[in-house]
Amino acid sequence: MQGKRVVVLTGAGISAESGIRTFRDNDGLWENQRVEDVATPRAWEVNPGRVWRFYQARRRQLSEVEPNPAHEALAELSDGLEHMVLITQNVDDLHERGGSQDVIHMHGRLETLRCEASGRYERRMKDSDLVDDFLECDCCADPQRVRPDIVWFGEMPMHMNEIYAVVDACEVFMVVGSSGHVYPAADLVHIAQANGAHTILVNAEPPLNVDYFDEVHLGMAGELLPGLVQGWLAPSG
Ligand code: NAD
């Protein structure tokens, strides 16, 4: 891996061992809610209170969870390689707290809230920002309601130009903890493979797109990744 252009894409599975529940492992429910009821623009239109309370609970949960050895191993890998880009579908901040910098959050972030009028986002994690009542922005003269700074199902993921550019150019593409159900993230491995990259998977079980991986490591990311990273960073790795 040394000297190569490496891209890593993570999904909910990498945060599972930290105590944040994944999405597909639980019969299509996310924290006992149907995705259609809490993670779509339509849900926000029809029942914003339910959506807001769901995400405020997710935001409060961040202070109760810690990064696990898989997050730390990817930070170590990035420190040890010349060119590595980390893209995550996750909205938690566990990569950053595990030591990674410049993480591309393609589905948004829990720590920031977005003004519905201006589209500006701001980090809002004080106790007063974590309440179940709606909050207003600090950016408009007439303060407007803020929404979760999350890409809901049916919305365009963030930073796609940058993501396609780095995936197009990469020589190694690795996915950790993703079921291959959510597009366009699930397509990135196809693009990388078509461009001749070596593709690696670390996942608890074979995902939908397993056939696109050259190297498959099945198991818990927190158990497997530290050893794999040691091997890749060893002088001959
Ligand atoms: P997913 O929930 O659809 O799939 C998770 C995958 O991880 C599964 O294939 C599962 O077998 C695997 N997995 C579970 N535990 C694992 C472990 N310990 N080690 C390795 N693999 C493990 O996740 P997804 O593909 O990321 O898609 C879900 C969507 O929901 C994403 O867009 C994401 O934004 C959102 N989401 C985010 C979080 C988070 O931020 N932590 C949590 C739930 C859902």
Side-chain angles (χ1 to χ4, degrees), residues 1-4 77 81 172 228-237:
M1 250 191 225
Q2 203 54 261
K4 300 224 164 107
L77 184 64
L81 296 178
V172 177
L228 289 168
V229 166
Q230 288 304 321
W232 291 324
L233 291 180
S236 59

Side-chain angles (χ1 to χ4, degrees), residues 82-103:
E82 286 164 47
H83 312 285
M84 178 179 135
V85 177
L86 179 55
I87 303 167
T88 188
Q89 297 171 81
N90 293 345
V91 293
D92 64 54
D93 60 353
L94 294 179
H95 280 304
E96 285 84 354
R97 285 162 53 199
S100 289
Q101 291 164 17
D102 303 323
V103 184

Side-chain angles (χ1 to χ4, degrees), residues 8 17 22 30:
V8 180
E17 288 158 84
T22 61
W30 189 5

